Amino acid sequence: MSNESKKTDIGFSSPLIMAFALIAGSVGTGNIWRFPRVAATNGGGAFVVAYVIIMLFMTIPLMMGESVIGRATRKGLPGAFRDYMGGKKFTWFGSFMWYVVFATTAYYTVVMAWIAYYMVLSITSGYIGVDKMTLFNSVTNSNYIIILIYLGLMIAASYFAYSGVEAIEKSTKYLLPLLVISLAVVAARSVTLENASQGLNYLFGFNPKELLSAKVWLEAITQASWSAGPGWGICIAYGVYAKKDSDATLTTAIQGIGDMSVALLAGVAVIPSLFSMSSSPEAAMEILRSGNNGLAFIGLTNVFERMPGGMLMSTLFFLSLLLAGFTSLIALFSILYQPFADAGVEKKKTVIAMLVGTCILGLPSAWNINFFNNQDFVVGMTMVIGAIFSCLALIKYGVEKSRLLLNNDYSYIKMGKWWNVSIGFVYPILAILMLVWQLAPLVLSDPHWYNPFGVYSLGTLIFQAGIVGILAYLYNDRIAKSAGERLFNGTEFPEVQITDYV
């Protein structure tokens, strides 16, 4: 097949399929175990209202902007920032974000290995009668089975991403519906339990005064940032494969609404069952305050053990978690491959290098939970920095010019001038405030906050992010050169490029 005939076949086959792929890539474990916990402990319905507002007027608009960057440049993250910001000196912004994806891939798969292990335990009723805390500690520390599962998941996800857009589309068609159906069955069972209404009241009960709480809004911004995907490049990466005449605004809107819908469905699946099967509302809230791992692997396993038909619900719950994580992992590997495609590196060499590199970085997290917790903390904070970088790229090119690119002849939904305000002022300011809000307590409560080897210290964030930033800056010119020629003419989206990676 000639290159000319292939031009009509490359990239995502339709905007709707691309939207579903974006939903599959952005929906992750944060939607299913983090959202219910954060919503119920931060005002319930008030948090949901704040979360929806943040998604509609901040997060989705930024993801639209990131999609414009990907479509305009047709480059991986380093080249995308180089070309959109108008100079090779800006390449390091994308290189920094690329490393965030690299580190996320390395440690995020550890969670999936835990989930896969617990899904098998659910199928075999293997955790019934077992102390859940002791079990979790044995799974997350020095467990050779977890190492093997981890390696298997990494190989599988890297292969899907290696197979290109067609394989991503096929996996989306099967895995995303299975994820939603599994979670919907758990939600249906959850709301039919006795006293399930108590949980629904905690999740959706609305006190307007809660909307005056800064904490509610900051938690909503945090959830939207860590769940939907701005700051780690999925919209930029998948935008590279979007056809020139596909609708960026509608595609991204569907992605954001789909991500929110899964989060809300997860809330209905988790909270009512937790309140129904706990001894009291206070006991349920105690479980919710125990963190993501405490909720999923300790609190909910106790709930499923006591629930009629609980092992089936447990299997479906962990299956939905596993699918959410796996589809995100495919997207992560796709992002990692793109700069090497720009540099003309053979695809097999790239796949092997990325697989080995991520495994080397991630195996310590698979072996020891303290290392995992450290990476979870650092990567979560650097994702926020990545979102700020995306705002800076759009500001540098011109927010109004970016909006005009977004509002092209193929756009069904047109963004008004409010989009400029959201991207140019509101999002970056609130993202910085969120970072300060998250990091200030570390300084105030920890006398050794400067320790570069602390699990949750500010020092470890500065140390690790600083090293990455310095290396990205030092190798800036070399990476910029490897990204190839500039394709963006400043006025319209170029065609999808033909490479072995598509």
Side-chain angles (χ1 to χ4, degrees):
M1 183 181 291
S2 69
N3 280 355
E4 288 301 317
S5 61
K6 282 176 65 180
K7 279 186 179 180
T8 59
D9 298 327
I10 60 176
F12 285 104
S13 59
S14 73
L16 185 60
I17 291 296
M18 179 182 172
F20 288 158
L22 283 165
I23 293 171
S26 61
V27 168
T29 54
N31 296 73
I32 298 175
W33 67 16
R34 190 181 192 279
F35 175 85
R37 176 182 65 81
V38 176
T41 55
N42 287 280
F47 173 88
V48 172
V49 170
Y51 168 71
V52 171
I53 291 173
I54 292 296
M55 285 290 295
L56 292 177
F57 296 103
M58 285 182 54
T59 304
I60 293 177
L62 179 56
M63 293 192 298
M64 288 178 179
E66 289 184 333
S67 182
V68 166
I69 294 172
R71 293 166 189 244
T73 61
R74 304 294 183 186
K75 297 288 184 181
L77 291 173
F81 278 81
R82 180 199 70 179
D83 292 352
Y84 204 76
M85 297 183 79
K88 68 178 183 179
K89 64 182 179 180
F90 300 107
T91 307
W92 74 271
F93 284 82
S95 302
F96 182 94
M97 190 184 288
W98 181 91
Y99 180 81
V100 173
V101 177
F102 183 83
T104 303
T105 307
Y107 95 92
Y108 186 70
T109 315
V110 176
V111 182
M112 293 170 53
W114 298 346
I115 292 166
Y117 189 91
Y118 271 82
M119 189 176 74
V120 173
L121 289 178
S122 301
I123 295 170
T124 61
S125 301
Y127 64 69
I128 291 181
V130 177
D131 182 82
K132 305 305 184 291
M133 178 62 77
T134 301
L135 173 63
F136 181 68
N137 288 336
S138 70
V139 168
T140 57
N141 288 285
S142 308
N143 191 312
Y144 289 100
I145 296 176
I146 293 298
I147 298 295
L148 293 175
I149 297 173
Y150 173 85
L151 294 174
L153 289 168
M154 288 287 255
I155 292 170
S158 65
Y159 175 78
F160 269 100
Y162 164 80
S163 300
V165 172
E166 185 177 355
I168 293 172
E169 288 192 1
K170 287 182 178 179
S171 66
T172 298
K173 289 178 182 178
Y174 294 104
L175 299 184
L176 183 60
L178 184 56
L179 185 166
V180 174
I181 291 170
S182 300
L183 195 58
V185 172
V186 179
R189 177 60 180 136
S190 178
V191 297
T192 59
L193 293 170
E194 186 178 359
N195 296 324
S197 59
Q198 288 186 337
L200 290 172
N201 287 336
Y202 264 88
L203 180 60
F204 295 114
F206 186 79
N207 182 354
K209 291 182 179 179
E210 294 284 353
L211 288 174
L212 301 177
S213 169
K215 183 175 183 294
V216 169
W217 289 93
L218 288 168
E219 288 284 8
I221 296 168
T222 304
Q223 175 63 33
S225 298
W226 290 348
S227 170
W232 60 275
I234 182 174
C235 292
I236 296 175
Y238 279 14
V240 170
Y241 305 132
K243 286 185 169 58
K244 182 178 178 179
D245 59 353
S246 64
D247 188 337
T249 55
L250 183 60
T251 299
T252 313
I254 293 172
Q255 174 197 0
I257 292 170
D259 187 88
M260 282 193 292
S261 300
V262 173
L264 291 168
L265 183 61
V268 175
V270 170
I271 303 302
S273 61
L274 191 61
F275 275 79
S276 175
M277 303 307 297
S278 297
S279 58
S280 66
E282 291 74 21
M285 292 301 294
E286 189 64 29
I287 294 172
L288 288 167
R289 296 188 186 101
S290 64
N292 296 332
N293 295 338
L295 171 62
F297 299 111
I298 300 170
L300 283 176
T301 50
N302 276 314
V303 166
F304 289 132
E305 183 175 345
R306 296 193 298 271
M307 181 190 301
M311 287 302 97
L312 175 59
M313 295 301 105
S314 179
T315 301
L316 292 174
F317 175 76
F318 285 112
L319 174 62
S320 65
L321 271 175
L322 183 62
L323 293 172
F326 190 73
T327 51
S328 294
L329 190 59
I330 293 171
L332 290 167
F333 269 112
S334 300
I335 296 169
L336 293 181
Y337 295 163
Q338 284 180 334
F340 295 92
D342 298 338
V345 179
E346 184 184 350
K347 193 171 186 179
K348 287 185 178 179
K349 291 182 179 179
T350 298
V351 172
I352 293 171
M354 290 300 95
L355 186 58
V356 172
T358 50
C359 285
I360 290 173
L361 182 61
L363 283 173
S365 293
W367 188 251
N368 184 277
I369 194 171
N370 284 330
F371 200 97
F372 168 87
N373 288 336
N374 173 263
Q375 292 299 286
D376 188 34
F377 163 69
V378 172
V379 170
M381 293 297 105
T382 51
M383 277 187 183
V384 181
I385 296 173
I388 295 172
F389 283 177
S390 292
C391 290
L392 291 176
L394 294 163
I395 293 168
K396 176 63 174 61
Y397 175 73
V399 178
E400 175 63 12
K401 290 196 297 181
S402 298
R403 187 177 72 89
L404 293 177
L405 278 173
L406 187 63
N407 290 346
N408 55 45
D409 294 338
Y410 315 110
S411 300
Y412 179 75
I413 304 172
K414 305 293 185 181
M415 294 294 104
K417 292 283 188 178
W418 66 267
W419 190 87
N420 299 12
V421 177
S422 177
I423 300 301
F425 297 98
V426 179
Y427 198 107
I429 290 172
L430 290 183
I432 292 170
L433 288 176
M434 182 177 69
L435 277 176
V436 173
W437 176 66
Q438 292 278 348
L439 297 175
L442 301 179
V443 177
L444 297 175
S445 63
D446 182 5
H448 303 289
W449 61 267
Y450 50 83
N451 180 9
F453 303 108
V455 175
Y456 296 110
S457 68
L458 178 60
T460 193
L461 173 62
I462 295 172
F463 177 67
Q464 294 183 49
I467 289 178
V468 174
I470 290 170
L471 289 175
Y473 184 78
L474 291 176
Y475 285 92
N476 183 80
D477 290 355
R478 183 180 299 182
I479 296 172
K481 186 177 180 180
S482 73
E485 64 175 326
R486 189 175 190 261
L487 303 171
F488 182 39
N489 63 13
T491 59
E492 60 181 0
F493 300 147
E495 297 286 354
V496 181
Q497 301 300 296
I498 300 175
T499 73
D500 291 335
Y501 290 72
V502 178

